[in-house]
Amino acid sequence: MTRRALIGVFGGTFDPVHIGHVQSARELKQLLQLDELRLLPCHRPPHRATPGVSSEDRLAMVGLAIADEPGLLVDGRELKRDAISYTVDTLSELRGELGEQPALCLIMGTDAFANLTQWHRWQALLTMAHIIVMARPDSSVPTSGELAKLIAERRVSSPSQLSDQPAGSILLVSLTAYPVSATSIRRSLAKGDSVESLLAPAVLNYIEQHRLYR
Ligand code: ATP
């Protein structure tokens, strides 16, 4: 019997994409044994202000950051929908293209997961994908309420269980921590401070050439 394909779906504003994103994506691909991991820049975020840097620039930077990373792909589909970028719509499109068999693994930090019940049609997400929750500093997995109940019902303990079903499970993971955020990088760039160690050289080059985050 052939093993079910596992596709990672890692969305974000990526404003800009930084080493925390890329190293975590690399580690997730290995840990979850993903066949591919797609990074999807969000075009019009539902729960935060639209970034000042265009979606096209953010997409280009993600492409540059992962150009040499086997199995990591950039997926610009959210830019093609001139509407609020709801994850449920993205997953539904991916299902339409990839079919019912592959397991989709929707990746998010504990910060994002804590607000999951505010996401558009959030209950439909687990019908289309597994949810992989990465531990992040300053936030933790809910221990009471609707989401705690959901974890109790859906949690699997090992990445190997993700290929049992195409969707529906929750896996909690702890990765190597890279204490960096796009917010702090934007602030440093605006002040003219060095961010060299936090961005891929090609991304830094792109930012300088296009005079972004001044
Ligand atoms: P901002 O500071 O603008 O909020 P961010 O650095 O948190 O940005 P996002 O694009 O909002 O980046 O995040 C996309 C996804 O990447 C989220 O699921 C978030 O939890 C995760 N993420 C962000 N920073 C890191 C990091 N340093 N290590 C691992 N994952 C991260």
Side-chain angles (χ1 to χ4, degrees), residues 10-14 18 20-21 24 48 108-109 111 134 136 178 180-183 186:
F10 187 14
T13 44
F14 302 119
H18 54 64
H21 299 130
S24 302
R48 59 188 282 171
M108 65 183 77
D111 49 339
M134 300 185 281
R136 297 295 323 281
Y178 296 95
V180 44
S181 75
T183 304
R186 289 194 299 275

PDB file of all heavy atoms in Angstrom, residues 10-14 18 20-21 24 48 108-109 111 134 136 178 180-183 186, ligand 1:
ATOM      1  N   PHE A  10       1.346  26.463   5.198  1.00  0.00           N
ATOM      2  CA  PHE A  10       1.862  27.395   6.205  1.00  0.00           C
ATOM      3  C   PHE A  10       1.568  28.815   5.719  1.00  0.00           C
ATOM      4  O   PHE A  10       2.233  29.325   4.829  1.00  0.00           O
ATOM      5  CB  PHE A  10       3.363  27.146   6.350  1.00  0.00           C
ATOM      6  CG  PHE A  10       4.069  27.893   7.451  1.00  0.00           C
ATOM      7  CD1 PHE A  10       3.383  28.543   8.465  1.00  0.00           C
ATOM      8  CD2 PHE A  10       5.456  27.922   7.496  1.00  0.00           C
ATOM      9  CE1 PHE A  10       4.048  29.212   9.481  1.00  0.00           C
ATOM     10  CE2 PHE A  10       6.142  28.583   8.500  1.00  0.00           C
ATOM     11  CZ  PHE A  10       5.443  29.231   9.493  1.00  0.00           C
ATOM     12  N   GLY A  11       0.528  29.409   6.272  1.00  0.00           N
ATOM     13  CA  GLY A  11       0.133  30.754   5.862  1.00  0.00           C
ATOM     14  C   GLY A  11       0.693  31.805   6.807  1.00  0.00           C
ATOM     15  O   GLY A  11       1.071  31.498   7.936  1.00  0.00           O
ATOM     16  N   GLY A  12       0.746  33.019   6.323  1.00  0.00           N
ATOM     17  CA  GLY A  12       1.205  34.117   7.168  1.00  0.00           C
ATOM     18  C   GLY A  12       1.249  35.394   6.355  1.00  0.00           C
ATOM     19  O   GLY A  12       1.092  35.354   5.138  1.00  0.00           O
ATOM     20  N   THR A  13       1.467  36.500   7.033  1.00  0.00           N
ATOM     21  CA  THR A  13       1.617  37.739   6.260  1.00  0.00           C
ATOM     22  C   THR A  13       3.028  37.812   5.674  1.00  0.00           C
ATOM     23  O   THR A  13       3.236  38.450   4.652  1.00  0.00           O
ATOM     24  CB  THR A  13       1.308  38.985   7.118  1.00  0.00           C
ATOM     25  OG1 THR A  13       1.925  38.829   8.376  1.00  0.00           O
ATOM     26  CG2 THR A  13      -0.175  39.155   7.305  1.00  0.00           C
ATOM     27  N   PHE A  14       3.986  37.210   6.342  1.00  0.00           N
ATOM     28  CA  PHE A  14       5.375  37.185   5.851  1.00  0.00           C
ATOM     29  C   PHE A  14       5.811  38.602   5.442  1.00  0.00           C
ATOM     30  O   PHE A  14       6.194  38.841   4.308  1.00  0.00           O
ATOM     31  CB  PHE A  14       5.533  36.184   4.698  1.00  0.00           C
ATOM     32  CG  PHE A  14       5.144  34.774   5.067  1.00  0.00           C
ATOM     33  CD1 PHE A  14       4.111  34.112   4.410  1.00  0.00           C
ATOM     34  CD2 PHE A  14       5.804  34.098   6.087  1.00  0.00           C
ATOM     35  CE1 PHE A  14       3.739  32.816   4.769  1.00  0.00           C
ATOM     36  CE2 PHE A  14       5.449  32.801   6.451  1.00  0.00           C
ATOM     37  CZ  PHE A  14       4.412  32.164   5.788  1.00  0.00           C
ATOM     38  N   HIS A  18      11.125  35.703   7.491  1.00  0.00           N
ATOM     39  CA  HIS A  18      12.399  35.749   8.233  1.00  0.00           C
ATOM     40  C   HIS A  18      12.881  34.339   8.585  1.00  0.00           C
ATOM     41  O   HIS A  18      12.210  33.352   8.257  1.00  0.00           O
ATOM     42  CB  HIS A  18      12.259  36.644   9.465  1.00  0.00           C
ATOM     43  CG  HIS A  18      11.113  36.280  10.383  1.00  0.00           C
ATOM     44  ND1 HIS A  18      11.044  35.092  11.070  1.00  0.00           N
ATOM     45  CD2 HIS A  18       9.971  36.959  10.707  1.00  0.00           C
ATOM     46  CE1 HIS A  18       9.937  35.070  11.794  1.00  0.00           C
ATOM     47  NE2 HIS A  18       9.258  36.183  11.583  1.00  0.00           N
ATOM     48  N   GLY A  20      12.933  32.748  11.284  1.00  0.00           N
ATOM     49  CA  GLY A  20      12.019  31.964  12.139  1.00  0.00           C
ATOM     50  C   GLY A  20      11.046  31.172  11.273  1.00  0.00           C
ATOM     51  O   GLY A  20      10.752  30.005  11.549  1.00  0.00           O
ATOM     52  N   HIS A  21      10.534  31.806  10.219  1.00  0.00           N
ATOM     53  CA  HIS A  21       9.608  31.113   9.311  1.00  0.00           C
ATOM     54  C   HIS A  21      10.327  29.994   8.554  1.00  0.00           C
ATOM     55  O   HIS A  21       9.838  28.861   8.496  1.00  0.00           O
ATOM     56  CB  HIS A  21       9.029  32.083   8.269  1.00  0.00           C
ATOM     57  CG  HIS A  21       8.245  33.229   8.821  1.00  0.00           C
ATOM     58  ND1 HIS A  21       8.463  34.529   8.450  1.00  0.00           N
ATOM     59  CD2 HIS A  21       7.220  33.263   9.715  1.00  0.00           C
ATOM     60  CE1 HIS A  21       7.615  35.326   9.076  1.00  0.00           C
ATOM     61  NE2 HIS A  21       6.851  34.587   9.862  1.00  0.00           N
ATOM     62  N   SER A  24      11.679  27.078  10.750  1.00  0.00           N
ATOM     63  CA  SER A  24      10.559  26.278  11.271  1.00  0.00           C
ATOM     64  C   SER A  24       9.947  25.445  10.152  1.00  0.00           C
ATOM     65  O   SER A  24       9.595  24.284  10.363  1.00  0.00           O
ATOM     66  CB  SER A  24       9.481  27.179  11.885  1.00  0.00           C
ATOM     67  OG  SER A  24      10.044  27.954  12.899  1.00  0.00           O
ATOM     68  N   ARG A  48      -6.173  41.361  10.857  1.00  0.00           N
ATOM     69  CA  ARG A  48      -5.185  42.402  11.115  1.00  0.00           C
ATOM     70  C   ARG A  48      -5.164  43.349   9.931  1.00  0.00           C
ATOM     71  O   ARG A  48      -5.727  43.039   8.882  1.00  0.00           O
ATOM     72  CB  ARG A  48      -3.793  41.810  11.391  1.00  0.00           C
ATOM     73  CG  ARG A  48      -3.258  40.956  10.247  1.00  0.00           C
ATOM     74  CD  ARG A  48      -1.996  40.229  10.623  1.00  0.00           C
ATOM     75  NE  ARG A  48      -0.831  41.096  10.593  1.00  0.00           N
ATOM     76  CZ  ARG A  48       0.364  40.739  11.044  1.00  0.00           C
ATOM     77  NH1 ARG A  48       0.532  39.531  11.579  1.00  0.00           N
ATOM     78  NH2 ARG A  48       1.384  41.547  10.982  1.00  0.00           N
ATOM     79  N   MET A 108       0.025  26.332  12.220  1.00  0.00           N
ATOM     80  CA  MET A 108      -0.128  27.653  12.845  1.00  0.00           C
ATOM     81  C   MET A 108       0.526  27.656  14.217  1.00  0.00           C
ATOM     82  O   MET A 108       0.725  26.601  14.828  1.00  0.00           O
ATOM     83  CB  MET A 108      -1.611  28.038  12.952  1.00  0.00           C
ATOM     84  CG  MET A 108      -2.424  27.174  13.852  1.00  0.00           C
ATOM     85  SD  MET A 108      -4.167  27.666  13.844  1.00  0.00           S
ATOM     86  CE  MET A 108      -4.746  26.980  12.315  1.00  0.00           C
ATOM     87  N   GLY A 109       0.873  28.844  14.686  1.00  0.00           N
ATOM     88  CA  GLY A 109       1.438  28.962  16.019  1.00  0.00           C
ATOM     89  C   GLY A 109       0.339  28.933  17.077  1.00  0.00           C
ATOM     90  O   GLY A 109      -0.847  29.114  16.763  1.00  0.00           O
ATOM     91  N   ASP A 111      -0.247  31.182  19.036  1.00  0.00           N
ATOM     92  CA  ASP A 111      -0.856  32.528  19.022  1.00  0.00           C
ATOM     93  C   ASP A 111      -2.071  32.548  18.103  1.00  0.00           C
ATOM     94  O   ASP A 111      -3.133  33.055  18.458  1.00  0.00           O
ATOM     95  CB  ASP A 111       0.178  33.586  18.604  1.00  0.00           C
ATOM     96  CG  ASP A 111       0.969  33.230  17.335  1.00  0.00           C
ATOM     97  OD1 ASP A 111       1.044  32.046  16.971  1.00  0.00           O
ATOM     98  OD2 ASP A 111       1.514  34.163  16.696  1.00  0.00           O
ATOM     99  N   MET A 134       2.158  24.883  16.510  1.00  0.00           N
ATOM    100  CA  MET A 134       3.545  25.047  16.962  1.00  0.00           C
ATOM    101  C   MET A 134       3.565  25.871  18.240  1.00  0.00           C
ATOM    102  O   MET A 134       2.928  26.935  18.290  1.00  0.00           O
ATOM    103  CB  MET A 134       4.361  25.884  15.965  1.00  0.00           C
ATOM    104  CG  MET A 134       4.502  25.384  14.597  1.00  0.00           C
ATOM    105  SD  MET A 134       5.639  26.504  13.713  1.00  0.00           S
ATOM    106  CE  MET A 134       4.569  27.878  13.310  1.00  0.00           C
ATOM    107  N   ARG A 136       4.650  28.631  20.583  1.00  0.00           N
ATOM    108  CA  ARG A 136       5.259  29.946  20.364  1.00  0.00           C
ATOM    109  C   ARG A 136       5.415  30.629  21.712  1.00  0.00           C
ATOM    110  O   ARG A 136       4.611  30.413  22.607  1.00  0.00           O
ATOM    111  CB  ARG A 136       4.360  30.824  19.471  1.00  0.00           C
ATOM    112  CG  ARG A 136       4.115  30.339  18.053  1.00  0.00           C
ATOM    113  CD  ARG A 136       5.359  30.294  17.168  1.00  0.00           C
ATOM    114  NE  ARG A 136       6.307  31.360  17.362  1.00  0.00           N
ATOM    115  CZ  ARG A 136       6.185  32.603  16.872  1.00  0.00           C
ATOM    116  NH1 ARG A 136       5.165  32.917  16.126  1.00  0.00           N
ATOM    117  NH2 ARG A 136       7.100  33.512  17.118  1.00  0.00           N
ATOM    118  N   TYR A 178      13.178  30.299  17.437  1.00  0.00           N
ATOM    119  CA  TYR A 178      13.926  31.414  16.835  1.00  0.00           C
ATOM    120  C   TYR A 178      13.210  32.685  17.256  1.00  0.00           C
ATOM    121  O   TYR A 178      12.187  33.037  16.671  1.00  0.00           O
ATOM    122  CB  TYR A 178      13.952  31.298  15.308  1.00  0.00           C
ATOM    123  CG  TYR A 178      14.684  30.063  14.851  1.00  0.00           C
ATOM    124  CD1 TYR A 178      13.995  28.894  14.575  1.00  0.00           C
ATOM    125  CD2 TYR A 178      16.069  30.079  14.739  1.00  0.00           C
ATOM    126  CE1 TYR A 178      14.669  27.754  14.196  1.00  0.00           C
ATOM    127  CE2 TYR A 178      16.746  28.940  14.355  1.00  0.00           C
ATOM    128  CZ  TYR A 178      16.040  27.782  14.095  1.00  0.00           C
ATOM    129  OH  TYR A 178      16.712  26.651  13.733  1.00  0.00           O
ATOM    130  N   VAL A 180      12.336  35.662  16.863  1.00  0.00           N
ATOM    131  CA  VAL A 180      12.369  36.771  15.920  1.00  0.00           C
ATOM    132  C   VAL A 180      10.947  36.977  15.418  1.00  0.00           C
ATOM    133  O   VAL A 180      10.194  36.009  15.289  1.00  0.00           O
ATOM    134  CB  VAL A 180      13.345  36.445  14.766  1.00  0.00           C
ATOM    135  CG1 VAL A 180      13.198  35.041  14.265  1.00  0.00           C
ATOM    136  CG2 VAL A 180      13.195  37.387  13.584  1.00  0.00           C
ATOM    137  N   SER A 181      10.583  38.225  15.194  1.00  0.00           N
ATOM    138  CA  SER A 181       9.259  38.490  14.626  1.00  0.00           C
ATOM    139  C   SER A 181       9.396  39.511  13.511  1.00  0.00           C
ATOM    140  O   SER A 181      10.324  40.336  13.504  1.00  0.00           O
ATOM    141  CB  SER A 181       8.301  39.014  15.695  1.00  0.00           C
ATOM    142  OG  SER A 181       8.622  40.350  15.994  1.00  0.00           O
ATOM    143  N   ALA A 182       8.457  39.462  12.574  1.00  0.00           N
ATOM    144  CA  ALA A 182       8.457  40.421  11.470  1.00  0.00           C
ATOM    145  C   ALA A 182       8.273  41.840  12.013  1.00  0.00           C
ATOM    146  O   ALA A 182       8.855  42.788  11.488  1.00  0.00           O
ATOM    147  CB  ALA A 182       7.359  40.059  10.481  1.00  0.00           C
ATOM    148  N   THR A 183       7.480  41.971  13.083  1.00  0.00           N
ATOM    149  CA  THR A 183       7.262  43.301  13.675  1.00  0.00           C
ATOM    150  C   THR A 183       8.596  43.915  14.110  1.00  0.00           C
ATOM    151  O   THR A 183       8.894  45.065  13.798  1.00  0.00           O
ATOM    152  CB  THR A 183       6.331  43.196  14.906  1.00  0.00           C
ATOM    153  OG1 THR A 183       5.127  42.559  14.488  1.00  0.00           O
ATOM    154  CG2 THR A 183       6.012  44.547  15.495  1.00  0.00           C
ATOM    155  N   ARG A 186      10.646  44.899  11.050  1.00  0.00           N
ATOM    156  CA  ARG A 186      10.161  46.142  10.420  1.00  0.00           C
ATOM    157  C   ARG A 186      10.638  47.364  11.202  1.00  0.00           C
ATOM    158  O   ARG A 186      11.079  48.347  10.639  1.00  0.00           O
ATOM    159  CB  ARG A 186       8.621  46.148  10.336  1.00  0.00           C
ATOM    160  CG  ARG A 186       8.047  45.169   9.325  1.00  0.00           C
ATOM    161  CD  ARG A 186       6.569  45.452   9.049  1.00  0.00           C
ATOM    162  NE  ARG A 186       5.711  45.343  10.219  1.00  0.00           N
ATOM    163  CZ  ARG A 186       5.171  44.208  10.678  1.00  0.00           C
ATOM    164  NH1 ARG A 186       5.414  43.061  10.071  1.00  0.00           N
ATOM    165  NH2 ARG A 186       4.393  44.214  11.732  1.00  0.00           N
TER     166      ARG A 186
HETATM  167  P1  ATP B   1       4.276  39.892  12.797  1.00  0.00           P
HETATM  168  O1  ATP B   1       5.365  40.248  13.789  1.00  0.00           O
HETATM  169  O2  ATP B   1       4.100  40.896  11.695  1.00  0.00           O
HETATM  170  O3  ATP B   1       2.983  39.501  13.468  1.00  0.00           O
HETATM  171  P2  ATP B   1       5.320  37.192  12.430  1.00  0.00           P
HETATM  172  O4  ATP B   1       6.818  37.252  12.510  1.00  0.00           O
HETATM  173  O5  ATP B   1       4.607  36.668  13.639  1.00  0.00           O
HETATM  174  O6  ATP B   1       4.768  38.611  11.996  1.00  0.00           O
HETATM  175  P3  ATP B   1       3.538  36.023  10.487  1.00  0.00           P
HETATM  176  O7  ATP B   1       3.704  36.177   9.043  1.00  0.00           O
HETATM  177  O8  ATP B   1       2.441  36.769  11.138  1.00  0.00           O
HETATM  178  O9  ATP B   1       4.968  36.377  11.156  1.00  0.00           O
HETATM  179  O10 ATP B   1       3.480  34.513  10.905  1.00  0.00           O
HETATM  180  C1  ATP B   1       3.132  33.456  10.072  1.00  0.00           C
HETATM  181  C2  ATP B   1       3.218  32.196  10.873  1.00  0.00           C
HETATM  182  O11 ATP B   1       4.578  32.010  11.277  1.00  0.00           O
HETATM  183  C3  ATP B   1       2.382  32.182  12.158  1.00  0.00           C
HETATM  184  O12 ATP B   1       1.777  30.896  12.277  1.00  0.00           O
HETATM  185  C4  ATP B   1       3.392  32.404  13.264  1.00  0.00           C
HETATM  186  O13 ATP B   1       3.004  31.734  14.456  1.00  0.00           O
HETATM  187  C5  ATP B   1       4.645  31.788  12.659  1.00  0.00           C
HETATM  188  N1  ATP B   1       5.870  32.418  13.123  1.00  0.00           N
HETATM  189  C6  ATP B   1       6.142  33.713  13.192  1.00  0.00           C
HETATM  190  N2  ATP B   1       7.371  33.932  13.703  1.00  0.00           N
HETATM  191  C7  ATP B   1       7.885  32.723  13.960  1.00  0.00           C
HETATM  192  C8  ATP B   1       9.131  32.260  14.535  1.00  0.00           C
HETATM  193  N3  ATP B   1      10.078  33.102  14.958  1.00  0.00           N
HETATM  194  N4  ATP B   1       9.307  30.938  14.658  1.00  0.00           N
HETATM  195  C9  ATP B   1       8.335  30.085  14.257  1.00  0.00           C
HETATM  196  N5  ATP B   1       7.158  30.444  13.713  1.00  0.00           N
HETATM  197  C10 ATP B   1       6.926  31.741  13.568  1.00  0.00           C
END
